[in-house]
Amino acid sequence: MSAQEEAATGKVEEDDVNDNWDDDSDGEESSNTTDTADDDDDDNDEAAGSDEDESGDDEDHESQVLGSYRKLLSRRVDLVGDYAGDELFLIEGDSMLLRCFSDSKLDFDSGFQMLHAAYNVEHFLHNLVKRKCNFHIVFFDCNRELCVPPTADPANACKYYLARAAIVRHLQVNLPRSHPEIVVKVIASYDSPAFAQYLSASAPYFVMMHDGAQPQKRQGKHITHAVADASPSAQRVGLRGMILSFIGQGYNVALVNGLEWRDTKVMTMVLEARHRAGSPQLPTVNAAQPGTTPVRDVSAELQKLAGIASDLTERQRLAVIAVSSLLRDSPQSLNKEDLPALCSSFLLHEAFLAHLPLSARRLDSDAGANGAQQLIRALASISEAVLRSPEWPQGLSAGSTCDVVDYVDGRLYLQLSLDAPQGDSHVQGTFESLTNAVKALSDQALPKPKVSQRPTSTSNGHATNQTEKQDDIAVLPFSNPVFDKHLEPVHLKIDESVADDQSYTSHRIFQELTHWHNAKKPLIVKAPPTRAEEKAAFWAAKRNQLFMAEMRTYAASLTNAVGKSLEPETIIVGATKASGKDSPAIAAMKSGIESPADSEASDSGASGKGKPGAKKGGGGKTAAKNAGKQAMLAQIAESKAKKEESAGGKVASAWALVCKNLQADSDPRSKFRKARDYLTNLRAEWREVVGAEVELYILSCVLQYWIDACRRDEKVERIEVGALLWNISGNVLKGKGLTKTIVSNVELTVKTLGLPPVPQVSVAALGDRKLAFMFALPARVESLAVDVPSKEFQLLHCGPYLERSFDSKPDSRVEFNPDGWQRKVLDGIDANESVFVVAPTSAGKTFISFYAMRKVLEADDEGVLVYVAPTKALVNQIAAEIQARYSKNFKYGGKSVWAIHTRDYRINNPTGCQVLVTVPHVLQIMLLAPSNANSWSSRVRRIIFDEVHSIGQAEDGVVWEQLLLMAPCPIIALSATVGNPQEFGDWLTDTQKAIGIKLITVQHTYRYSDLRKYYYVPPKQFAFYGLPEKTAFGTLGLEGLRGFNHVHPVAALVDKSRGIPEDLGLEPRDCYELWKAMVKLQSDKYTVPAELNPEKALPAVCRKIDILTWEKGLKEVLRKWIADDASPYEKLVKELEQSFRLEDREEIQITQAVSEAESSEKITINNHEDLVKTTLPMLCRLQAQDALPAILFNYDRHMCEKLCQAVLQQLQESELAQRKTGPKWEKTLERWEDWKKVQAKNASKKAKAPTKKGKGGDDEDQMSKLDQQRDAADSNVSPWDTFNPDAPVDGYHFADHTRLQLSELDVYMKQLGRRNIQQWLIDAMQRGIGVHHAGMNRKYRQVVEILFRKGFLRVIIATGTLALGINMPCKTVVFSGDSVFLTALNYRQCAGRAGRRGFDLLGNVVFQGVSRQKVCRLISSRLPDLNGHFPITTTLVLRLFTLLHESKNSKYAVGAINALLSQPRLYMGGPSFKDQTMHHLRFSIEYLRRQHLLALNGAPLNFAGLVSHLYFTENSSFAFHALLKEGYFHELCAGINKSEKSTVETLMLVLAHLFNRIYCRQVDQEYREKVVKPSSSLVFLPPMPQKASNILRQHNQETLHVFRTYVQTFVNQHIEHDDVELPLSGMHAGGDENGGSEAIQSLPQAKVRSPFVALSGSGDTFDSIHDLCRTTRDGVFLEEAVIPHVDVYPDEMDVPLNAWLLDFFKHGDIYTLERANGIRRADVWFLLNDFSLVLATIITSLLNFMKLREGTDMDMLDVMGDLDAHDEAEDNDVAGAEDQSEISAPSAADSAISMPDRPKAVTKKQAKNTESWEDTADKEEAVNKREEQKAANAERLESEAARVLEGESANNQGLKDVLKAFQKLHAEFNLKFRAMWA
């Protein structure tokens, strides 16, 4: 589960993609959900296919196609959440039909149930639509034959062709009425110009297709007999050839076979298209030419019919024309004598179809009269030819209903052909109309069918077998006062007798459970702690100490919005915050005065200022006493303020001294940076005096640079410096400490440079003071003016500097002037309301969380705020930020301000803190823990859900949804990326209203800083001679930088159908360029309104808000142009995309000028998407432009590491070749050695000299600070002091050494060394490059974050882990390579890291190695809508009963259940169906009752705890329970002592079937023969033992019975309407009258199953849960994913299961897993850790259950996978070996928690002397301690178990054997797992 925690998700970080095909590790690219088709290693592939596939020149087309297909890469994804969002994709029509026609329930054999086939198609499409998919459907004439299932009788192919033609016609006519957005096309072939044109116009994201593989009953290399391959070769080759054709064009392909509906997700395999060097050459595939399908010209017949029978429907006209044609020209297969009677029966069947209700058409299969089958086939061929006729649609009236999908009901016709009943008058009337029409067309009268003489009975002998007995729908009794009131509307028959329905085996097992339940707890509980336990406690304290020290370091790296370190503030209960300043008490405490007022006050004071009714004092002390304290503190603060007032002169003098030092630097850029840093760190009271003058000095520095540029005639190139000057001029006048001289100098600057106006300042009231420096103006240069009109200058160059507040006003609650939307949020929090905030990244959401925390901290010492984050990286950062912001003194010990709690990492006590920072799973465990119900849970005051869009994830989304529904208090939900904020906000409002809390939605749509996009085009050749010098100054973007082509956002809107995304932002220069282009291209019809001219539309000085209004006007015109094909929109895009489309590549990029002699080999870049070769050239350009720091995002963990290694290697090799060789370097080393000798000589002289003793004895530290500084200055004059020959040379690293002291860097490097971090990662870090992904060591990730924030690291290569809210602002974000996970959502999240509010005024976004098509798609994409999940899962129901029962119906538990069950709309995006939800809940309870997990009153029974603890594996936990309760594990594990090996192996096989399943693609025999058999892994999972699979099948049948009963009772009680409409088009099927139904021999009506499916004869008896869910009638909620069952493999599944877990257990080799099983190396760790966690949970639950140890309901939070356990052990080692002072010095920000004293730091000298032996000894001791601890723990556990087990009777041995077997399995599994990192 920790892997899921990490992600955010499925995985936060689905990070595959971008590997090169020619990478050494073939398998890295494949997903953990693929089969070996993806990437089987070349050797195996070659061996496998040598006969056929690799046979050189003789290789035929078929084997070439199949061979190439096998090598395609694939991964299983959620098409909606992970991949497509609302992007348009294409469904290949015949692939869809092949899926729908392959339904085993569909009768196209003896019958011909066309309407059932149409229902299957609509049901499939409806499932996509309700999951908000956006698609078109294309049918290719050349693929007509591909829709026929391989199992079909070839004689019936004509039926499939007719059904195809009818469905195409139906979709084309009826879908535009119900779903106009779904386009249905019919095109000749997929390589036709018409299709190419369609692709160009619609730009689909991917294609959904079938690959011809069919589900097999048995799969895997264990098969000994040959399995006939059902799929004909021609079909497979046709489909796979088409897939290769699309892959070759760059489209990914999603497989429609093996596609699974899971809740709101669409899970399927995606085959990836890659353009990479070395990718295999795909065979040339041409579409099959359309066959000679007969097409009939029916215009004459249609014209004739229009005159004589205009009232006939489309299918009736088709019947008349087809029958007439058959009568005129009968085929040889039909007897001419029988033909008229058969035709007459067919027309009677058409008449019945018009009037017979759908429910009466469930008929038995019938052979029919002689020739009836042949007639159907003949009519099918003719009818298809008619439907394909171009005249057919033209000859029908436009508004007529298209009902051709219900043209033939084969079963009805076959029955009527034998024995025609007497229909009612309506049927007779229609029949006569049809026969008259046939007579008119064919001149042949048809005989009347022979009327049946049989009685009108509605049943026959077959009926009883087709229906369930009606009385078999009773349920077990159940009553619980909390649940009963919610379940009141559910009326069910109770059957007491069913309670005894349990097998003998389960009865015996439960008897044993009773024994364990009654067992006494071991006496060891009360004994004093053992030595081992004391050691464990010691290590826990050590670990906590280590974590706290790390957290302080982390906290110190965090900065506020102006780049200043966060200052901690001590919170006092009841104190109020005013004007952003500390209260006198806090001010006094900060100034070092001990405050007598500890935190013992009352209310939430953050908003108390000036509000009536604010309490004062409290906490048991008198108000008077508190008032006295406050007065005393106020007096102290006042006297301090007076002292500071007199210090103004001193401040000015100090600034003059600083100025003098700054002036010593001759480079104006360097002076600018130093002065800016000085201003940032200037104390607030000093800023009051000299703030404006420092700003003016900064202005003067930039002016000097501008003057120099003008002298060099570089004014045009440096124009952006002019914009910077305008910005600084405005800032000066807003600064504090203005004087008349300062104002006059600013005015002189504006006038001299001709800048736009700046704010006017009245100088009358200002004082004056001489400047501490000489201002740069006036200067002797001809012209310094920018020479650009004011408006144009502002729009083109000053956009990032424009004033950008939105209704900002001062507010005493926060330290800045919040915008209007931010104040609305503050008001909501103050009113104790829930708040949902949607605002883009950089808008300023961060403060919201901290304001809410302050409210809780100030209110009292008891309240708790929980902060929920999707990833552990974000958890760490938030906790560190709290540490940096707040401290608090508590009255009683054991309390802390904050705590972190994830499954594998925790700091401080989670129930003793006031702000808990955690992940969703852990919060859910805590809220559902009965032990918390009466204490901690009821103290929770507010929950913050950050990145709340994680609710849309496939894996963890349901936990988010459950938490939102169960929250016992107001919430704050934050996100930047919700595509449907209105819908989501409405749902949240409903959920909060149900518990009486008001929710306000606050939406802010504008980013604070703009993002500028560039497309990177690398040079043809690259020569690296050290990093280039920074030449840029004053530039914010990457303009003028070779290879970085600007992408205008409108240039990306190439697909007009997508329109303009709502969040498409245009910066001022984009607007100006758009306006200019529109004016240039406007015509008489398409004009640009004059009021949009910037001279009219904008004021003299523009603000961001003015630009937004102008942008809105421009977009309105743009929308009109997009909507009209005749507009000049295409030309506009061409005009704006000129830069973006430039293909021009620089011939050679040389980083530094060198002589010919020095020049070395150049790198040739053939493929511009080769990330390994293009990354360093790109980074060099960014370095020159001062556009670092940068984050490079790549979604493949392995590729991130590979890129980092490549850049590191290039830097190291170049440095070695260019700088660290030759005579010059040798000479340097000699001089360094000489210096070292001199130093050693001087040191020995000093040692001999007598030392003076100070007053304090012989401690030389007593010398004055000044003396020490002088000594240091004298001794540090030499540059050799800091020389290190192994350190990177300047120009060969990206690190900024001005940001970090070498000593501090050494500390970090040592820490990483102790954690066995690979050396290349440490080397890269020393060169300023880091890697960040979920697979990296936690400490390494933390150091990367710290050093990046400090500014030392300037390049990070990361997966999506850094995209979610991490405070790591950077100037540039690079999308390094494409991925299926580079989606609209992830693009916005990652791009949002650039240009964060308060850090950068502009963010740069660069696309490297991403196709232009993908770039356009990302920029023009819309955010996907969030879908919900059905949250009341069976496990949640069980956990709620446990909470209620074990907390003795606590108020909190009752409230949580009522909150959840009172929700009107449980599932976001779902309808409001309270009745259904309660009905579903009642049957979940029924399931739990029948499984003996719940008692009559709702008390949990037997293994309920075990099942609850395995909640994260649902539904596998229920399958596991079925095997446990039926005694399978008892029987299997009884042999653990005699045959341990075979027992453990069988146990592993069974568990591999249940847990951590990974699906493969549907495969065919050819694939198994060529790939699976030769591989070293099993690849496909062998079947589980027969007994186990029988138990699971029986369990599934019982579950099926429960939920079939649910549907039946719900239908009986709540559904009154008949299910007669097709699900997507809404077309009404069947007649409305009785229509002579009593005359038809119908089977009993299906009540549960859809009547459309019942057309093929199926009744209310279901084969499987999948069958029930797939074919249930309309109006019933039934979600397969939440029904507790696991499909038994292989017979209940369509796709094979990957044997990865079993294979790993057998060989323990991750490289084989990677090659053969297709599991990516980067994922193996997490997958194995998840399984290790499952084993640990089962063992802990059994130990607790058997009372072999003392356990609580919170134990499960201590269970961890072995990877997490390894990390914890590593932390123990480090905690034991590491000196805390090395990690960090004590900080003023420490929360007031009880911490042991830290040992004093040893001096460097001492450390150096002892390092050689002492460190080694420490490490050995730490290791020994750890081994001792492990041994003692094991010994204690064994003795405890033995004590309890001793003397127990043999009857109760079973569960002990089960426990022992699982412990053996866990030990063996973890042994192999640990070997991976040994």
Side-chain angles (χ1 to χ4, degrees), residues 1204-1220:
C1204 181
Q1205 281 177 301
V1207 173
L1208 172 67
Q1209 192 178 344
Q1210 286 168 292
L1211 292 173
Q1212 285 175 332
E1213 287 175 359
S1214 301
E1215 179 188 64
L1216 191 61
Q1218 296 163 19
R1219 297 295 295 276
K1220 290 192 175 179

Side-chain angles (χ1 to χ4, degrees), residues 633-844:
L633 293 167
Q635 200 174 347
I636 293 166
E638 195 180 328
S639 65
K640 192 179 175 200
K642 280 181 183 172
K643 281 180 191 170
E644 285 173 357
E645 205 175 311
S646 64
K650 290 179 185 172
V651 172
S653 305
W655 159 240
L657 191 64
V658 170
C659 236
K660 192 176 175 185
N661 291 333
L662 288 173
Q663 288 296 80
D665 194 333
S666 59
D667 183 0
R669 294 178 296 180
S670 174
K671 287 192 283 191
F672 166 80
R673 289 188 195 100
K674 288 174 183 172
R676 197 176 51 185
D677 288 345
Y678 174 78
L679 182 66
T680 300
N681 296 309
L682 198 60
R683 280 160 48 184
E685 56 270 29
W686 284 40
R687 202 180 281 259
E688 298 281 344
V689 182
V690 294
E693 190 171 333
V694 180
E695 291 265 21
L696 188 72
Y697 180 78
I698 292 170
L699 177 67
S700 183
C701 295
V702 182
L703 271 170
Q704 283 173 2
Y705 184 84
W706 175 253
I707 291 163
D708 292 344
C710 290
R711 286 193 178 118
R712 294 192 303 270
D713 205 18
E714 292 178 359
K715 192 189 289 186
V716 176
E717 294 91 327
R718 302 290 180 193
I719 190 73
E720 287 201 9
V721 177
L724 177 60
L725 285 165
W726 179 65
N727 177 52
I728 298 171
S729 299
N731 290 346
V732 174
L733 297 179
K734 292 177 201 161
K736 292 174 178 175
L738 276 177
T739 66
K740 289 176 180 171
T741 307
I742 292 172
V743 174
S744 65
N745 277 316
V746 171
E747 287 171 350
L748 174 64
T749 304
V750 172
K751 187 179 174 186
T752 308
L753 272 69
L755 298 173
V758 292
Q760 294 298 307
V761 174
S762 169
V763 293
L766 296 178
D768 210 355
R769 182 179 69 241
K770 187 185 172 189
L771 295 178
F773 59 93
M774 180 69 75
F775 190 63
L777 289 179
R780 294 179 184 174
V781 182
E782 271 187 31
S783 170
L784 293 174
V786 293
D787 298 332
V788 181
S790 175
K791 284 271 173 67
E792 189 178 332
F793 179 70
Q794 288 178 65
L795 294 173
L796 284 178
H797 307 295
C798 303
Y801 302 117
L802 299 183
E803 198 274 320
R804 53 190 61 220
S805 62
F806 295 89
D807 184 27
S808 297
K809 287 178 186 169
D811 192 304
S812 62
R813 296 173 288 185
V814 287
E815 295 176 351
F816 59 97
N817 292 352
D819 292 345
W821 69 273
Q822 291 172 318
R823 290 197 302 281
K824 190 177 174 187
V825 173
L826 292 174
D827 294 342
I829 295 172
D830 285 348
N832 221 26
E833 294 170 343
S834 289
V835 188
F836 171 44
V837 182
V838 186
T841 50
S842 95

Side-chain angles (χ1 to χ4, degrees), residues 1323-1521:
D1323 292 344
M1325 189 176 273
Q1326 289 174 320
R1327 290 183 190 265
I1329 311 164
V1331 179
H1332 197 290
H1333 63 66
M1336 304 303 287
N1337 176 281
R1338 176 184 56 77
K1339 176 66 178 177
Y1340 172 82
R1341 283 201 313 261
Q1342 198 179 63
V1343 171
V1344 166
E1345 291 166 31
I1346 290 169
L1347 296 186
F1348 189 76
R1349 268 196 294 273
K1350 281 181 180 283
F1352 176 79
L1353 287 187
R1354 305 183 70 236
V1355 176
I1356 286 191
I1357 306 165
T1359 57
T1361 48
L1362 283 187
L1364 286 169
I1366 297 289
N1367 177 6
M1368 292 184 68
C1370 61
K1371 289 184 180 178
T1372 306
V1373 157
V1374 180
F1375 288 100
S1376 223
D1378 198 0
S1379 161
V1380 291
F1381 296 103
L1382 180 47
T1383 59
L1385 180 71
N1386 288 332
Y1387 161 67
R1388 284 166 173 81
Q1389 285 286 357
C1390 295
R1393 300 305 103 203
R1396 305 300 305 280
R1397 183 169 187 169
F1399 292 96
D1400 291 295
L1401 296 165
L1402 180 76
N1404 299 307
V1405 176
V1406 178
F1407 297 98
Q1408 173 206 12
V1410 181
S1411 69
R1412 285 182 174 85
Q1413 182 188 8
K1414 181 68 176 272
V1415 172
C1416 292
R1417 184 176 298 285
L1418 290 171
I1419 294 174
S1420 63
S1421 62
R1422 285 183 160 72
L1423 274 169
D1425 289 354
L1426 289 184
N1427 274 333
H1429 312 72
F1430 184 74
I1432 303 189
T1433 60
T1434 312
T1435 307
L1436 181 66
V1437 174
L1438 183 57
R1439 293 167 84 191
L1440 288 172
F1441 276 113
T1442 305
L1443 170 67
L1444 191 65
H1445 178 73
E1446 294 186 11
S1447 71
K1448 298 184 170 49
N1449 287 23
S1450 67
K1451 184 181 174 186
Y1452 163 76
V1454 173
I1457 290 165
N1458 286 338
L1460 183 65
L1461 302 184
S1462 303
Q1463 303 295 348
R1465 241 186 345 149
L1466 263 171
Y1467 134 36
M1468 200 245 318
S1472 174
F1473 51 20
K1474 188 78 194 291
D1475 286 341
Q1476 289 223 33
T1477 307
M1478 291 307 105
H1479 224 91
H1480 198 284
L1481 169 66
R1482 179 62 185 85
F1483 278 89
S1484 294
I1485 293 169
E1486 173 68 4
Y1487 168 82
L1488 293 169
R1489 291 276 290 115
R1490 285 178 183 258
Q1491 292 298 311
H1492 306 283
L1493 290 168
L1494 275 188
L1496 167 70
N1497 63 350
L1501 294 175
N1502 304 320
F1503 290 117
L1506 172 60
V1507 175
S1508 295
H1509 294 151
L1510 285 170
Y1511 75 94
F1512 55 93
T1513 67
E1514 191 169 19
N1515 292 311
S1516 302
S1517 53
F1518 290 108
F1520 178 79
H1521 174 256

Side-chain angles (χ1 to χ4, degrees), residues 598-615:
D598 271 302
S599 49
E600 40 185 38
S602 59
D603 77 274
S604 51
S607 62
K609 185 177 191 287
K611 295 202 175 184
K615 295 177 191 172

